[in-house]
Amino acid sequence: MALGGDRDALLQELSRINSSSLFRSSDRLRRLLQFLVIETADGRAASLKEYTVGLSVFDKPESFDPKVDSTIRSEVSKLRSKLRLYYETEGSANPVLISIPKGGYSAEWQVRQSDETPCDLTNPPASVSGIRPWMASVSRFRRWIATGFLSIGMLSLSFWINRDKPSAQFRSIPVTSGPRAANNPSFSPDGSQIAFSSDMAEAGNLDIFIKGVDSGSVLRLTSDPARDSHPVWSPDGKSIAFFRNWRYGGGAVYLVPVAGGPERKLRNDSFPGLAWFPDGNHLAALHRESNLDPPAFLLIDPESLQSKPLTRPPAGWMDWNIAFSPDGARAAVGRCTSTLNCCDIYLADVRPDRTLAEPFRRVTWLNQSIRGIAWSGDNSTVIFSAGHYNDFKVLRLDTRRIEAGAKRLDGIVGSGRYPSIPLRGPASLKRIALVASTEDENMWVASLANISGQPVVAARQLSPSPRGDWGPMLSADGTRLVFASDRSGSHQVWVWSGSHQVWVGPADGTYPHPITQFDSGIVQYPQFSPVSDDIAFAFFDTKNGADERGIYTIRSDGTGLRRITGPNHQATEPSWSADGKWIYFSSQATGSWQIWKVAAAGGTPKQVTQFGGYRALESNGVLYYFSGVGVWSTGVNGGTERKVLSLGLSLGQNVAWVPVRDGLLFVPPAQPDSGTTALSHWNAATGTIQPVARLPHPAIRRFSFFEKTSTVLYDRMDYESHDIIVLENYDSVN
């Protein structure tokens, strides 16, 4: 159960759980988990009785009798089941495992032990081999000498042969559209139909559907109350394998006839990763023996239900994706570190007994998350999706020319995931299905001036755009606005190109312009200095899988860009001191999140907090910051650290507050079910809390407040779609 003294690792794990899709819709279970874990960590496990939990978590009266009211036992049972399901799915690779053992209410946790090495830009695990990108230069000159003159002749011959041949026309075919997301497309073997998962028939309940690429009819194949996902069409076209995730823990691989009929369970399992072997006699399924074993693939015989190990990742690594070439000769595997944010493609030859020959050969050095792998019908081209956060590109890799590297596939607007290619026939060379995601986050502004009675205040959109805008904040005089955005990506024919930049414009949001020119990466949390035109911001460099964070400053006219923190700090969440001479930031340089400060002119950073801290904001000589389950305060140079306000660990609570003249304006953990976000005020002098108003949108967390005019600024997701499209004749634009 020990964390080696690193309480912050436990708190981060709590935050990951509470922000997961399984927990974020259940405020009761989040509050229960938070209470049990924090009480146990603080040495009060002995006091965790039904009566105590009932009063502290579920607001039971003092007359509460656990012998009569079984609420606590029921809720803790649900929590155990949800935690088990979480660690079998979303939390499968988390570094800390939390559980509530039966027979009591105290929490237990453990740190995974592994030999994992950090995400490396050049070196694969010791058990793999491959051609490094730099080796291309060794042979490229020889190839040029040997083939140069021949290439001239071949180009001339190719032109003569194709002089009258019409080029195939590129088409982007929408397969699904509408308010319900569609995911995990899988082509029928001939490429005429697509199976996919969606909740289009029942909100919140994923089922398997089939739709023709060129027809409008949709067939619902499953209707179980559990979540059905990741369908894969069998090579004979007669059945579809899919993963069923039971709502209260566990899951299983099922097979259902395309023509309709009873489902058949193949095996219980924990992960939704499936791929048919091209002969149709075997199915690869993602599997893990226990919570401490790495996920790997099994090969299942659907008739006998016998299985055998297919992949064996090295210690500290896991296999998360797999696809077989149409001829069954090779497998492409997505192998990752335990974070799933650092993955690459590996190739393996398939032996006659359907096992994979070791060692695997590493063929990409991207160090990014991978969302799906597919083979083209030529048995040589691998199509896959890789990226970070919500920015995933579809890439193609010619396995005959590994040294050329993976190239981006054009013709996709936005982010692309989960590519699928038909197994055989003409469509296997010209059609790709994928999930195209479009998201539109915009800025909003509302006034809290002259209000009474906790009203729902009016809000208006600020400088709307069809792209993402985040973190709006006004300058000290209130005349200018700064925010992060990817709206500088220009839309051309078949091309989407975007980057996160810092934008500046008038306070009313009209005519903003970018002041940074990053070609990759993510800009976060820009804000004006209180005494100058300087702007501080965090930059997350994702180029070539760098995964590197730092604090930068720049003048509002776009000049003077410089980095003020070094790579050892992996710094984020910058904020200015009241006099503009210092910049506070959050860093894990000492092994846990702490607040640091660095001179705005540059220099050696100084640690401010000693017992944990994240996102510091100075006000009236006091430094407020988040730690544990609430807001704390200390001096601007450190000193006594004390908790001033409890917030909880639900999604985004660590940033759901800002200092004001006499205390804090914050989003309380308990929110009304009315499509709004409540704001409350904590008075620093009296410690009292009073409701203030409600913003007209739900689930607002991060916001800024301009006190001179009582103005609240925030961003929200105004539109989000995840639809399946088919790219036809994609080679004509690639």
Side-chain angles (χ1 to χ4, degrees):
M1 191 166 99
L3 280 173
D6 191 358
R7 175 191 177 93
D8 195 66
L10 176 61
L11 297 180
Q12 288 181 43
E13 180 64 10
L14 264 177
S15 183
R16 281 190 289 266
I17 294 173
N18 285 330
S19 63
S20 69
S21 62
L22 282 174
F23 277 84
R24 62 184 172 218
S25 62
S26 179
D27 185 63
R28 286 166 66 93
L29 291 185
R30 290 201 309 268
R31 290 174 60 193
L32 177 60
L33 176 64
Q34 171 188 313
F35 179 77
L36 298 181
V37 171
I38 296 301
E39 290 296 295
T40 303
D42 288 346
R44 295 186 289 273
S47 67
L48 289 173
K49 309 296 183 183
E50 279 188 71
Y51 183 80
T52 307
V53 175
L55 268 62
S56 301
V57 179
F58 298 103
D59 301 320
K60 297 289 185 180
E62 293 186 1
S63 59
F64 168 59
D65 185 354
K67 295 180 180 179
V68 177
D69 187 340
S70 62
T71 299
I72 310 308
R73 296 188 295 277
S74 175
E75 292 298 313
V76 171
S77 177
K78 291 179 184 178
L79 177 60
R80 291 189 182 109
S81 296
K82 278 240 178 182
L83 279 173
R84 184 170 60 252
L85 175 59
Y86 172 74
Y87 283 115
E88 289 174 348
T89 54
E90 292 181 67
S92 61
N94 289 12
V96 179
L97 302 173
I98 297 176
S99 63
I100 312 295
K102 291 183 177 180
Y105 299 107
S106 60
E108 289 188 0
W109 53 88
Q110 59 182 322
V111 178
R112 292 185 201 272
Q113 300 298 319
S114 74
D115 301 322
E116 177 189 339
T117 55
C119 193
D120 185 83
L121 298 182
T122 56
N123 297 319
S127 66
V128 300
S129 64
I131 299 176
R132 299 289 182 83
W134 54 264
M135 290 181 67
S137 60
V138 176
S139 58
R140 191 172 294 130
F141 180 73
R142 287 190 217 138
R143 275 203 317 274
W144 182 83
I145 289 292
T147 63
F149 290 104
L150 178 61
S151 296
I152 295 173
M154 291 300 293
L155 283 171
S156 301
L157 178 61
S158 175
F159 174 78
W160 183 84
I161 292 174
N162 294 290
R163 68 192 190 281
D164 296 322
K165 182 179 179 181
S167 60
Q169 184 178 3
F170 174 84
R171 285 201 304 159
S172 178
I173 307 169
V175 177
T176 67
S177 62
R180 299 298 179 194
N183 226 328
N184 312 123
S186 176
F187 264 118
S188 60
D190 64 357
S192 64
Q193 300 180 84
I194 290 179
F196 60 94
S197 62
S198 176
D199 64 347
M200 61 172 57
E202 184 180 349
N205 182 38
L206 289 177
D207 286 305
I208 307 302
F209 296 82
I210 295 175
K211 185 178 185 297
V213 174
D214 298 300
S215 70
S217 59
V218 177
L219 171 67
R220 185 179 184 181
L221 205 58
T222 68
S223 56
D224 195 271
R227 292 179 289 267
D228 297 339
S229 65
H230 293 76
V232 286
W233 212 304
S234 66
D236 64 6
K238 296 179 180 180
S239 59
I240 290 174
F242 65 94
F243 183 78
R244 173 162 291 162
N245 194 330
W246 298 316
R247 292 187 181 275
Y248 295 104
V253 179
Y254 281 80
L255 201 62
V256 60
V258 171
E263 302 166 354
R264 183 163 63 94
K265 187 170 75 170
L266 301 185
R267 63 174 289 122
N268 293 331
D269 235 316
S270 303
F271 296 102
L274 300 169
W276 282 99
F277 196 79
D279 64 6
N281 296 324
H282 297 87
L283 179 70
L286 196 56
H287 169 77
R288 186 169 64 180
E289 289 295 328
S290 73
N291 282 343
L292 298 180
D293 292 316
F297 283 94
L298 292 174
L299 198 63
I300 305 170
D301 183 331
E303 295 303 320
S304 68
L305 302 185
Q306 297 297 310
S307 64
K308 61 182 179 182
L310 183 63
T311 67
R312 296 178 175 84
W317 294 74
M318 66 176 69
D319 294 332
W320 201 251
N321 313 87
I322 195 168
F324 298 100
S325 59
D327 61 6
R330 290 186 293 175
V333 178
R335 180 160 285 181
C336 316
T337 65
S338 64
T339 64
L340 286 180
N341 292 324
C342 177
C343 308
D344 271 291
I345 302 295
Y346 296 78
L347 294 183
D349 292 331
V350 179
R351 298 188 181 106
D353 63 353
R354 302 292 187 268
T355 60
L356 301 184
E358 297 279 359
F360 291 7
R361 179 187 182 194
R362 185 176 184 176
V363 293
T364 67
W365 280 262
L366 298 172
N367 298 292
Q368 297 179 348
S369 295
I370 291 177
R371 296 290 186 269
I373 306 173
W375 284 83
S376 172
D378 63 4
N379 291 300
S380 298
T381 304
V382 174
I383 306 291
F384 63 99
S385 172
H388 288 291
Y389 296 98
N390 291 324
D391 184 18
F392 281 81
K393 309 301 183 192
V394 179
L395 306 172
R396 64 187 299 175
L397 176 72
D398 187 342
T399 61
R400 296 163 298 189
R401 299 180 62 245
I402 301 299
E403 69 278 6
K407 307 297 183 183
R408 179 178 173 182
L409 192 71
D410 287 331
I412 304 166
V413 177
S415 184
R417 299 175 176 89
Y418 306 112
S420 175
I421 297 176
L423 177 63
R424 55 180 172 265
S428 69
L429 297 171
K430 67 178 184 178
R431 278 186 166 180
I432 297 175
L434 52 89
V435 177
S437 300
T438 303
E439 298 174 345
D440 181 18
E441 286 188 78
N442 288 298
M443 301 177 291
W444 291 76
V445 58
S447 176
L448 304 186
N450 303 316
I451 62 172
S452 61
Q454 309 159 39
V456 178
V457 297
R460 65 180 178 87
Q461 232 178 35
L462 197 62
S463 187
S465 79
R467 305 295 287 278
D469 301 321
W470 307 277
M473 186 169 288
L474 291 172
S475 58
D477 60 5
T479 63
R480 285 170 297 170
L481 178 75
V482 64
F483 59 98
S485 177
D486 64 356
R487 61 169 65 187
S488 57
S490 58
H491 280 74
Q492 305 291 343
V493 177
W494 315 123
V495 174
W496 178 85
S497 142
S499 58
H500 289 69
Q501 308 291 353
V502 176
W503 286 64
V504 173
D508 63 3
T510 58
Y511 307 115
H513 59 276
I515 61 170
T516 59
Q517 300 297 325
F518 295 113
D519 59 2
S520 65
I522 298 172
V523 167
Q524 297 175 310
Y525 323 126
Q527 56 182 274
F528 276 103
S529 162
V531 297
S532 71
D533 281 344
D534 287 348
I535 294 168
F537 63 93
F539 180 63
F540 177 23
D541 185 4
T542 61
K543 192 171 187 178
N544 297 322
D547 195 17
E548 219 244 309
R549 297 165 172 82
I551 306 301
Y552 291 72
T553 60
I554 192 172
R555 287 188 284 272
S556 61
D557 62 1
T559 62
L561 175 67
R562 61 194 182 92
R563 181 171 180 167
I564 62 170
T565 62
N568 291 337
H569 277 280
Q570 292 289 293
T572 187
E573 293 280 1
S575 69
W576 293 88
S577 62
D579 59 10
K581 294 180 179 180
W582 296 88
I583 295 176
Y584 302 104
F585 63 91
S586 306
S587 170
Q588 296 187 84
T590 59
S592 62
W593 284 112
Q594 302 289 350
I595 304 301
W596 294 67
K597 62 189 293 188
V598 63
T604 302
K606 301 178 180 180
Q607 187 172 339
V608 178
T609 62
Q610 304 299 321
F611 304 104
Y614 186 82
R615 188 181 181 246
L617 298 172
E618 182 183 331
S619 177
N620 298 321
V622 178
L623 190 65
Y624 294 99
Y625 59 94
F626 187 87
S627 182
V629 292
V631 180
W632 292 54
S633 70
T634 189
V636 296
N637 294 310
T640 302
E641 301 174 23
R642 67 185 187 93
K643 186 177 179 180
V644 299
L645 179 66
S646 294
L647 282 181
L649 271 173
S650 58
L651 178 61
Q653 286 297 144
N654 58 340
V655 297
W657 57 274
V658 294
V660 293
R661 187 178 300 109
D662 55 354
L664 297 172
L665 185 66
F666 69 99
V667 175
Q671 287 290 311
D673 296 325
S674 58
T676 64
T677 297
L679 294 174
S680 294
H681 174 261
W682 170 77
N683 188 296
T686 64
T688 57
I689 294 175
Q690 294 291 332
V692 175
R694 285 185 289 161
L695 300 175
H697 299 113
I700 302 303
R701 294 306 184 194
R702 183 181 292 270
F703 64 94
S704 65
F705 185 66
F706 187 66
E707 197 158 7
K708 292 179 182 178
T709 57
S710 298
T711 300
V712 175
L713 299 101
Y714 59 94
D715 58 68
R716 70 178 298 268
M717 183 73 71
D718 287 331
Y719 176 79
E720 181 178 13
S721 72
H722 304 280
D723 293 312
I724 294 171
I725 64 171
V726 169
L727 305 183
E728 188 169 77
N729 299 319
Y730 57 89
D731 265 342
S732 64
V733 293
N734 286 276

